[in-house]
Amino acid sequence: MDRPNVVYLARIMDTTPEAVVQHAVLLESKKLCDLQKKVTVEYRLTREGEKYASEGLPERVLFESFENAIPMKELQKHPSSKLGIGWLRKKGWIAIREGIVEKISDAPIGDDEKALKDLKPGVPGLDELLKRKLVEETETTDYFVSITTEGEVLVETGLDLRMEAGTLTSEQIRTGEWENLKLRRYNVTTPPKRIYAGKKHPYQQLIDEMRSVLLEMGFTEMYGEIVQSSFWNFDALFQPQDHPAREMQDTFFLDMEEKLPENYEAVRDIHEFGGDTSSVGWGGKWKEEKARQCVLRTHTTGLSIQYLKDHPDEPAKAFCIGRVYRREAIDPTHTPEFEQLEGIVMDRDVSFRHLMGFLKEFYHRMGFENVRFRPAYFPYTEPSVEPEVYVEGLGWVELGGAGIFREEVTAPWGVKYPVLAWGLGVSRVAMLKMGLKDLRQLYKSDVDWIRNSPVNRKEEI
Ligand SMILES: N[C@@H](Cc1ccccc1)C(=O)O
């Protein structure tokens, strides 16, 4: 036998295969033997797979249970209908018209069915069966050991067969016996097995870093519900009731209503004619029903105004990091759920310059050196800007909106001082900091990516 496997070696050496591999690795590092690893992948039917291998797939059984057409209600009584109907449709074997299931194919035997009967690595249809969990994959690893020429020479010239001591006992040290022992050398060049310790998700690490930057800058955190009335999400922010962002295609509306708060009339008056501010409002009639309608918050700015309503007098520095929802088609840079970092500063003499200062400082602390501002428009701020950061290779990247709350927004709640406000994209920052091309990476459970993402040392794990 030229290449015995470790199981055989373990048996004749009266030890375990693991111990044989361990010694073979040592011998290999001294070039005395060759160690070969062989991984075998095997496929096995699962219990469900075995059942179908003998009875046929549920869609096949179901297909054969009726002639050309059958009422859906009847078909649903069949024991295979639960799984079968979906597959019949997926495979294009049936059409359903007005409650009648009709055959539209002669249902040729598919690769999946062939593979079920004759399971071999690489056969077409195997992937399908794996996905349906009718087949499972098992991997076995075997090691083969063979002696090298150097090894043979050593055997011929005579081996020093004294036991090697891997650890010393206190007895051996005390009696001085250790001096006569053959000590096993450490091999410090063998890379150890990589251990993946538990850690926070990289995106959560970044969110926590942002949170601690803001806390360090003296902000307090504010919290709020994900479900908001249109009143707080839009109306209180002087967003007209016919604003395009309030359309069905942009916002997730819920079949729920919420009572309007005390003093909502002030907001109504502002919309209709400007109330007792210098504004002339949007004109037209402001509808209470529209304001009561609940939405999944489309931004976190609704929380800022509620915070101001609760704290109208004292100066404030508050922030919130939270998830928001918009009806976006999913692509590499858009998801219907994402995070925003909202912030407000209210104080006696704060101005636009302070706003730019706060944002610059925040981005500097997050590691972006170059920050600039472009003029923008939001119904609730004046002036309004969009902060941008410079990223090597990408250029200037827009990161959200900011401005000073308009009188129409603050007046109904008796807010006395100017309010600086911003809402920044968090996942955008994550993409830039982690060099991601696809935003979706942040939201899927890609264990390899999570394992290999570095731990953010600024944050405790
Ligand atoms: N709410 C705005 C951002 C913003 C917040 C506060 C002031 C100005 C702009 C958005 O979602 O894009």
Side-chain angles (χ1 to χ4, degrees):
M1 188 185 298
D2 54 347
R3 254 179 202 278
N5 75 357
V6 290
V7 178
Y8 170 80
L9 288 173
R11 188 144 30 90
I12 59 170
M13 289 164 69
D14 196 17
T15 178
T16 62
E18 291 75 26
V20 176
V21 173
Q22 200 187 353
H23 285 100
V25 169
L26 275 173
L27 290 176
E28 196 185 33
S29 69
K30 296 181 182 164
K31 299 202 171 53
L32 299 174
C33 85
D34 262 335
L35 184 64
Q36 262 193 11
K37 184 175 167 181
K38 193 166 157 237
V39 180
T40 333
V41 182
E42 274 175 333
Y43 296 96
R44 240 201 344 239
L45 291 174
T46 59
R47 263 229 198 130
E48 201 185 357
E50 269 171 20
K51 179 166 172 252
Y52 297 157
S54 66
E55 294 171 8
L57 288 173
E59 60 270 29
R60 173 66 62 196
V61 175
L62 203 58
F63 191 79
E64 277 161 11
S65 73
F66 65 100
E67 285 299 318
N68 294 325
I70 185 171
M72 181 57 117
K73 284 230 165 67
E74 278 305 305
L75 192 62
Q76 278 166 343
K77 290 185 190 146
H78 193 285
S80 296
S81 67
K82 235 175 151 186
L83 289 170
I85 295 177
W87 282 102
L88 282 175
R89 295 178 65 164
K90 213 165 168 180
K91 291 189 171 176
W93 292 355
I94 56 158
I96 304 167
R97 267 177 233 121
E98 287 161 18
I100 305 290
V101 179
E102 231 177 280
K103 291 190 179 172
I104 53 167
S105 152
D106 48 10
I109 305 280
D111 285 342
D112 51 351
E113 289 172 287
K114 286 182 205 152
L116 198 57
K117 292 255 145 64
D118 184 19
L119 202 57
K120 275 199 289 261
V123 292
L126 186 61
D127 279 352
E128 274 302 311
L129 299 180
L130 281 167
K131 266 190 235 144
R132 281 178 81 167
K133 298 210 164 57
L134 303 182
V135 167
E136 64 194 359
E137 194 181 274
T138 51
E139 230 184 56
T140 42
T141 311
D142 202 357
Y143 292 91
F144 295 86
V145 190
S146 62
I147 191 162
T148 58
T149 343
E150 278 123 307
E152 271 164 3
V153 171
L154 188 67
V155 174
E156 267 156 39
T157 53
L159 279 173
D160 177 2
L161 285 178
R162 268 184 305 155
M163 275 278 261
E164 279 191 335
T167 48
L168 291 179
T169 60
S170 54
E171 180 73 17
Q172 286 165 332
I173 297 173
R174 215 169 335 108
T175 58
E177 189 197 340
W178 66 272
E179 284 188 81
N180 305 319
L181 291 174
K182 201 175 146 210
L183 299 177
R184 180 178 318 145
R185 287 176 166 276
Y186 282 122
N187 181 352
V188 290
T189 57
T190 316
K193 197 170 159 201
R194 214 173 145 177
I195 293 169
Y196 295 102
K199 66 178 179 194
K200 274 189 204 164
H201 191 284
Y203 190 34
Q204 187 61 48
Q205 288 178 40
L206 184 85
I207 289 177
D208 291 347
E209 186 187 340
M210 289 188 170
R211 177 175 283 122
S212 51
V213 163
L214 284 152
L215 292 171
E216 279 165 21
M217 286 171 73
F219 283 77
T220 39
E221 190 159 1
M222 52 186 177
Y223 305 92
E225 299 296 324
I226 280 170
V227 173
Q228 294 285 338
S229 62
S230 293
F231 182 84
W232 289 119
N233 196 74
F234 299 122
D235 296 287
L237 292 165
F238 198 47
Q239 217 149 319
Q241 291 198 322
D242 60 1
H243 192 279
R246 299 181 68 152
E247 303 267 321
M248 285 292 239
Q249 62 264 33
D250 290 309
T251 302
F252 291 107
F253 284 94
L254 302 172
D255 193 9
M256 263 169 83
E257 292 202 335
E258 198 180 284
K259 270 205 339 251
L260 297 178
E262 227 172 274
N263 201 32
Y264 80 90
E265 297 87 349
V267 171
R268 176 196 63 201
D269 292 351
I270 294 235
H271 277 249
E272 290 186 351
F273 59 89
D276 39 6
T277 69
S278 58
S279 170
V280 293
W282 295 110
K285 177 136 181 54
W286 184 84
K287 298 199 187 76
E288 284 177 24
E289 322 81 80
K290 263 202 112 151
R292 276 198 295 263
Q293 171 100 54
C294 288
V295 300
L296 292 183
R297 64 186 185 201
T298 61
H299 55 188
T300 33
T301 317
L303 301 190
S304 295
I305 187 62
Q306 290 176 75
Y307 186 87
L308 291 172
K309 172 192 73 129
D310 295 335
H311 310 83
D313 301 316
E314 63 268 47
K317 273 165 91 179
F319 78 99
C320 145
I321 303 178
R323 187 165 281 197
V324 300
Y325 302 81
R326 291 185 197 169
R327 290 189 70 158
E328 303 262 17
I330 299 179
D331 71 24
T333 53
H334 296 91
T335 52
E337 304 180 29
F338 54 98
E339 282 66 33
Q340 274 193 335
L341 189 165
E342 199 74 29
I344 44 169
V345 175
M346 169 174 65
D347 208 344
R348 192 183 303 274
D349 289 319
V350 288
S351 71
F352 192 56
R353 292 168 68 104
H354 294 107
L355 174 66
M356 293 194 289
F358 272 114
L359 292 174
K360 267 196 177 163
E361 179 63 24
F362 171 72
Y363 283 123
H364 286 336
R365 292 195 192 200
M366 289 305 298
F368 298 99
E369 253 172 61
N370 295 309
V371 186
R372 73 174 188 188
F373 300 91
R374 278 202 334 197
Y377 172 79
F378 299 99
Y380 29 94
T381 47
E382 180 59 38
S384 306
V385 282
E386 277 169 359
E388 295 184 333
V389 296
Y390 190 80
V391 180
E392 224 29 74
L394 289 177
W396 290 99
V397 184
E398 186 229 302
L399 284 181
I404 301 183
F405 273 151
R406 297 174 69 109
E407 192 191 1
E408 290 94 329
V409 174
T410 52
W413 316 108
V415 174
K416 299 208 179 59
Y417 305 131
V419 181
L420 316 177
W422 57 85
L424 312 174
V426 174
S427 43
R428 276 283 180 87
V429 171
M431 269 180 102
L432 299 178
K433 300 237 358 152
M434 299 177 194
L436 302 178
K437 299 226 159 49
D438 194 330
L439 200 58
R440 290 169 286 188
Q441 187 67 44
L442 297 175
Y443 299 97
K444 65 181 181 199
S445 309
D446 178 346
V447 174
D448 281 338
W449 176 74
I450 293 171
R451 281 181 166 166
N452 292 314
S453 298
V455 171
N456 183 347
R457 291 286 165 209
K458 285 198 204 142
E459 265 302 311
E460 281 150 39
I461 322 169

